[in-house]
Amino acid sequence: MSKTWFITGASSGLGLDMARQLLARNDRVLATTRRPETLADLQRQYCGRLEVVPLDLTDPAGVETAISSAFQRHDRIDVVVSNAGYGLFGAAEELTETQIDRQIATNLTGSIHLIRAALPHLRRQGGGRIVQVSSEGGQIAYAGFSLYHATKWGIEGFIEAVAQEVAPFGITFIIAEPGPTDTGFAANLVRADAMTVYEETPVGALRRAIGDGSFVLKGDAARTVAAIIAAADSPTPPLRLTLGSTAHASITQALAARLAVLETQRDVAHSADRPDL
């Protein structure tokens, strides 16, 4: 049976790929974008099954209105995909207050407002699924992406808690964690003005690698999206879905290192307990 999907950030990258794949298999898509004109051709091609919804995630009232209106127009929305976001690159002290605030408002609080707005509607319809597009950057960190990581680690923590809260209502989550993928992400990076003091640091090295193309993007966007859709179709998907060999290797290494350090702290951890318990 066909499904109805609500996808944010559907005018480019993984969101656009997802919309195309879903429409091609005869599903219905409600696609949000800040620039509705970018989806005009796709809307003509799939007239009747693609609805384009103007939305800026940094506007909480607009998010609430878009979600409520979508659920009013449709008997059921099966999957809500929180995909909209972008990357911000620069050493922490290179970033401006405006860049910091916009990154958090889009990637973190925007996603939180979207999920909160969707929950009562999903409850009333008897359940549903929310897919949060995170990244390997929700489990690891690269120098120069501190604010991007803050938003991805933050939204993953938020979902860890909310997933427990709403499980009794039949609402489930998938956190998709792609590694570096050829989606145009690097081309659309917001970049802070570089400080010369960081030129010979890990920030400078990564800045050069991104600029000259030597930072390898192994991930394939279409295959990544296909894996996310397959997980969303599954009756028992994992909470976290790691995508791409780079992500799998880097997250494995990071978790193993954390566990190794944690084990060395067993005695000191137990020493902090109350002695009477």
Side-chain angles (χ1 to χ4, degrees):
M1 293 180 62
S2 64
K3 293 182 177 179
T4 300
W5 302 63
F6 184 100
I7 306 171
T8 66
S11 61
S12 63
L14 297 181
L16 179 57
D17 255 313
M18 182 175 289
R20 285 172 171 159
Q21 290 190 32
L22 292 170
L23 290 166
R25 73 174 201 176
N26 210 38
D27 283 3
R28 180 182 297 276
V29 174
L30 287 73
T32 83
T33 174
R34 290 181 294 110
R35 297 168 291 133
E37 68 278 4
T38 60
L39 291 174
D41 289 343
L42 197 64
Q43 192 172 27
R44 281 191 290 270
Q45 182 180 355
Y46 292 102
C47 181
R49 286 195 292 111
L50 173 62
E51 295 181 24
V52 179
V53 181
L55 179 62
D56 184 340
L57 272 190
T58 65
D59 174 16
V63 171
E64 176 68 40
T65 298
I67 283 286
S68 295
S69 177
F71 276 92
Q72 286 171 6
R73 293 195 307 275
H74 298 275
D75 292 336
R76 180 180 180 87
I77 294 177
D78 300 282
V79 187
V80 175
V81 183
S82 176
N83 167 72
Y86 68 97
L88 172 61
F89 182 84
E93 66 172 314
E94 292 175 340
L95 305 175
T96 67
E97 291 182 6
T98 299
Q99 288 172 334
I100 291 169
D101 290 346
R102 183 169 176 268
Q103 176 85 139
I104 293 171
T106 303
N107 289 16
L108 179 57
T109 55
S111 295
I112 290 172
H113 291 312
L114 177 76
I115 291 168
R116 291 185 67 250
L119 290 178
H121 300 284
L122 294 173
R123 266 195 302 105
R124 281 193 286 270
Q125 72 178 19
R129 183 154 289 161
I130 297 175
V131 176
Q132 174 65 53
V133 179
S134 180
S135 87
E136 65 169 359
Q139 293 287 307
I140 67 162
Y142 292 96
F145 281 100
S146 59
L147 259 295
Y148 178 77
H149 291 305
T151 63
K152 294 304 184 182
W153 285 58
I155 196 62
E156 292 205 14
F158 172 78
I159 289 171
E160 281 265 4
V162 176
Q164 299 172 59
E165 297 169 2
V166 299
F169 307 118
I171 302 171
T172 57
F173 284 84
I174 298 170
I175 303 171
E177 298 176 333
T181 304
D182 188 11
T183 61
F185 176 85
N188 293 316
L189 273 179
V190 174
R191 304 169 193 245
D193 292 336
M195 297 170 60
T196 55
V197 70
Y198 281 100
E199 187 171 344
E200 299 305 322
T201 71
V203 175
L206 187 52
R207 196 186 326 259
R208 288 188 293 276
I210 293 171
D212 64 22
S214 59
F215 185 75
V216 179
L217 306 176
K218 288 187 177 182
D220 180 88
R223 291 184 175 190
T224 296
V225 165
I228 294 172
I229 293 173
D233 285 341
S234 169
T236 56
L239 174 62
R240 283 185 168 82
L241 180 66
T242 304
L243 297 160
S245 59
T246 300
H248 190 271
S250 61
I251 293 174
T252 297
Q253 182 179 11
L255 293 179
R258 274 180 235 156
L259 283 171
V261 172
L262 181 63
E263 187 57 32
T264 68
Q265 298 173 3
R266 177 181 295 273
D267 290 343
V268 69
H270 286 241
S271 74
D273 285 352
R274 285 173 49 185
D276 58 326
L277 292 179

